[in-house]
Amino acid sequence: MDFTGSSCGGSDHRQIEENKPLLGEMAATGGSKMGAVPCRRSLLHFSGMRYKLLQEGDIQVCAIRHPRTFLSKILTSKFLRRWEPHHLTLADNSLTSATPTGYMENSISYSAIEDVQLLSWENAPKYCLQLTIPGGTVLLQAANSYLRDQWFHSLQWKKKIYKYKKVLSNPNRWEVVLKEIRTLVDMALSSPLQDDSIHQAPLEIISKLLSENINLTTQEHESIIVAIAPLLENNHPPPDLCEFFCKHCRERPRSMVVIEVFTPVVQRILKHNMDFGKCPRLRLFTQEYILALNELNAGMEVVKKFIYSMHGPTANCPHPRVLPNVVAVCLAAIYSCYEEFINSRDNSPSLKEIRNGCQQQCDRKPNIPLRLLHTNPDLVSQEVTSNESRHKSVIVTSNEIHVEVQRNNTVNQKLKANTGNDSEPNLIDCLLICPACSTISIELSPQAERVLACYVEILKMLSDYDDWRPALAILLQPIPFPKEALAHETFTKELKHVIQRFAEDPRQEVHSCLLSVRAGKDGWFQLYSPGGVACDDDGELFASMVHILMGSCYKTKKFLLSLAENKLGPCMLLALRGNQTMVEILCLMLEYNIIENNDTQLQIISTLESTDVGKRMYEQLCDRQRELKELQRKGGPTRLTLPSKSTDADLARLLSSGSFGNLENLSLAFTNVTSACAEQLIKLPSLKQLNLWSTQFGDAGLRVLSEHLTALQVLNLCETPVTDAGLLALSSMKSLCNLNMNSTKLSADTYEDLKAKLPNLKEVDVRYTEAW
């Protein structure tokens, strides 16, 4: 009986791996020299039954010790065979049993296995495969033909991978190594096994080979990259291989390998990577690849085409992971430009330690960039008088960064008030504007400037895509850049385009990200407003941001109060220059009694009357105030119900027809009023009960009501389009005792929050909501 000629039962694909030469056999032929980059080979794909790579499993084992000349005679003697059940594990270097007794008392090394074959002769045991080892044979019997084939292919794979690990661990001739790598890649591509490790194992072997042999020529680099390219189409490169790719991008950015081989690899990374934190070298490889594209003759045009290819030709990018991955690469690259300065800053005491006097300056390193200085000539004259009372304890220079530690009475008072607070000063406080320096403080190397210009330009490209802009705004809202970058005029000037795109976008989820992510933190609105470290114009961007925010339900007392406290001067200056948005802001401050100081009110009035648009809007304000006084004059009905189908204009016309100072109960149920009518409702001083059942009154109107109608006791929002975003604003209406949120988009968490913050709430209707 012939066990070799018919061992695979006519299945030629099972012998593909056996027929491929290993390193020793190929060395005899000499191999081809490594010259020009070889062409990419056509992929070898297995078509047929697929199997999962076995790592362990139960199987019957029979071991027979015999001289090979009597093999057929022994195997046909059924009474000599005794089968043992074992749970075998296919380790990296051997076949072991969970119960090392009997036939499997000792593990079987893959190097000792001379051959793996299927038994298919007439009287052979059913579903059995044969392992030929020195001095005998080991038979493995599976439960069915599929399991038998699965064991066969898994053992073949483990045996071959083990051999390649040994053979490629000590390379002598690189032209032979290249052929061996191609053979390894073809083996992985033609394997019937379907498992992630089938492609990852060869990549890891090659990655280890390259990490241990760093003195390779550029041509050897490219030949190896092209050889392993087919494996990279559906797999991320291992960390060591990423370093190898990074080196190639840095040394030969104009190589065609970068375009032809690396492009699909980087595209796959950006489309499928879930967390660069777990694989930072993938991010670094992507970063170096983009820089290599930028080094081509077309430069940023090539990068722009690459970004377009990642987005796709449709209006919406079909890959949700592309944008956050590209932004992560951009942030890391921009951070690396300032890393030298950041490391110097990290060796210094914190601002809190210096201000509290708990650290002595002499105990630290001499180059301490505690505060980055950004000169603004317009503020120099304002600072001269205050400099006399300010004591500068330390002024030092760290290479290109000028820093200073300041103490004055105001700061000391704030420190005393904030005793026990462990938080660092906010961003604007750390980026003080000071006349002590007359030059910009940060100078980057030429290479860092090229990197910075490339990745800021990519952020600009991302902001130009309408579907990406909301997510980009959310990602950049926390200002994820180091303080050194924000103090660098070149960076903030280039990034201004992105902020401008946010300010021009009419969608609230975009331009709302101009504000700080939470209270106590600074946002882009503060940085690019007059007096902010990033402001390099006369307030045009600031006016644009205020205009879009005011037009999107931010016409609230809180927003106006913050402007009055921090930006009243710039608002008045822009209004004096005829900016209509700022004129409207000043009028609203007067209308809502934001300004309490009489002199400041008179100054605002003078500013308004100095321009035609201001004079016209101030006269309109005076007319509205007279109408408001007439509306709020005591008298009129206490209850009022508008007819169904009434509109915002009908409500405004009705309220302008007489006095409603006594109106306590207003029903707008089943009318067509919207959030716009909130401007009329807040003029009713005695209103205690408001019925908005089945109207189009939404979140924007609720925000306005919550700031002005704090005495409201009963509110019916049944079947209105309000959501959690507007309902949360009701927490400031402490007088509410009856609230109907039936059939709204109320969530359970918001409901619990409202119950905790509204102590007088007694009757609540949450039927047909998530909280029900």
Side-chain angles (χ1 to χ4, degrees), residues 19 129 373 470 486 712 735:
N19 294 332
L129 56 92
L373 304 179
L486 298 173
L712 199 65
S735 299

Side-chain angles (χ1 to χ4, degrees), residues 21-34 172-180 182:
L22 288 175
L23 188 59
E25 301 171 11
M26 294 181 62
T29 63
S32 62
K33 294 184 179 180
M34 297 181 69
N172 294 321
R173 300 172 58 187
W174 278 100
E175 62 271 16
V176 178
V177 169
L178 178 59
K179 287 188 176 181
E180 203 62 51
R182 289 175 178 171

